[in-house]
Amino acid sequence: MKYLVIGAGPAGVVAAETLRKLDRTSEITILGDEPEPPYSRMAIPYLLIDHIDEQGTYLRKDDGYFASRNINVVIGRAASLDAGAKTVKTDGGDVLPYDKVLVATGARPIKPPVEGIGHEKVTACWTLEDARRISAGIRKGAPVVLIGAGFIGCIILEALVSAGADLTVIEMGNRMVPRMLDEKCGSMLEKWCRDKGVAVLTSTTVSGIESSGEHVTVKTGDGKSIDAELVISAAGVKPNADFLEGSGVRLVDGGVEVDNYLQSSEPDIFAAGDVACSKDFSTGDFGIQAIQPTAVDHARIAAHNMVNHCSVEHRGSINMNVLDTMGLVSASYGLWQGVEGGESSELLDEDNYRYIRLQFDGDQLVGANTLGMTQHIGVLRGLIQGRFHLGEWKDRLLQNPLQVMEAYLAVTQGA
């Protein structure tokens, strides 16, 4: 049996490891499109502030780790897949045969349709090569513009501030992290960043980027001009699935359509991570959920199903994000925006940057937003994922959402 894993990120590495645990003798190959050993993009901000070196970003740090497990790591970008011939062709012309293949190609940064976005002083922050460019372009006090205040943008934000950049953040939404935080929560995070010396422009678009001597000038839709030595674009990502066009594999929302076993429309082709259009735990709908815990969850399940003929069902991943922005932790869980006809409760302490909002569907907790509160992270996830009927505890939480621990103990242990 030949297993091919396309993608060397967390999903690809965990899938290959799981395949090896389940099948000690078959051939396993990881195809990665970067020259470095498999690494974590989530570690790049720590690299930018010198908390780790490049080796510290590697997913597995032991020399010879993959070779010792008889896992081949090949460098090359998948250019096409032939489902009939069961081969993958790389951009270098190599042809890799497979019996079963996992598409774990992740995502890539979106380039916003802005004139000048291709300027040499504009970069993403997605790869180790990007990190090298940013490190070389930042000096203490250097004016830097960050386009996008989503999840990825806010992770980069802290590293830029720690590196001493004079930072301006431009976000087209009316608040920071609009796909994760509600308006109160996102607005409080914006105030926190401004109090830390970051200029934040929400409800603002970028209309163009122009050369200005050794700097560039970022033009906004409302007429502002901002000079910068470096511009970092963090305007979102899209799945890396273009190479599958014409292969017969069905694509949806830009990613690979999969079933409850993470199998694609073509037999023996599976998908995991940011490229997989998979089931959402809270809604039952299928969509892209580009977060690392989901990628790792997918990887284990897909690997089991590649070896054991679709024996493990994926019941859906809970959409959960936890973000630390210069010491202020925000989080979202499940259906954090609420459901039609549902009830909600909240507590707000703006002066101390503390916020919690719970969302209910009947007497079940289905979503939450928190800010400045870390003690309830596991409990909130447990209540949502357990789909517990809260009974009288729902009314208590409507009065005081801070009683989530007591509610959890009551419904799980009868306390």
Side-chain angles (χ1 to χ4, degrees), residues 107-160:
R108 65 183 183 274
I110 294 170
K111 277 193 174 183
V114 172
E115 186 175 353
I117 197 69
H119 194 282
E120 63 180 9
K121 289 188 177 293
V122 181
T123 182
C125 185
W126 194 247
T127 65
L128 284 177
E129 181 58 33
D130 292 335
R132 296 178 195 121
R133 289 183 66 193
I134 292 169
S135 294
I138 289 182
R139 58 176 180 79
K140 193 169 182 62
V144 175
V145 170
L146 173 63
I147 302 173
F151 186 84
I152 295 169
C154 282
I155 292 173
I156 301 166
L157 181 155
E158 180 166 10
L160 296 173

Side-chain angles (χ1 to χ4, degrees), residues 50-122:
D50 294 325
H51 280 189
I52 57 174
D53 58 15
E54 285 198 8
Q55 190 170 353
T57 69
Y58 296 169
L59 288 166
R60 303 295 179 261
K61 296 175 175 57
D62 294 344
D63 289 339
Y65 177 88
F66 294 101
S68 69
R69 287 155 178 79
N70 199 21
I71 297 172
N72 304 314
V73 180
V74 177
I75 298 172
R77 182 183 297 272
S80 62
L81 183 149
D82 187 329
K86 288 194 169 183
T87 57
V88 171
K89 187 174 182 180
T90 72
D91 56 358
D94 294 328
V95 177
L96 303 178
Y98 69 84
D99 293 305
K100 295 189 179 181
V101 62
L102 177 69
V103 179
T105 45
R108 65 183 183 274
I110 294 170
K111 277 193 174 183
V114 172
E115 186 175 353
I117 197 69
H119 194 282
E120 63 180 9
K121 289 188 177 293
V122 181

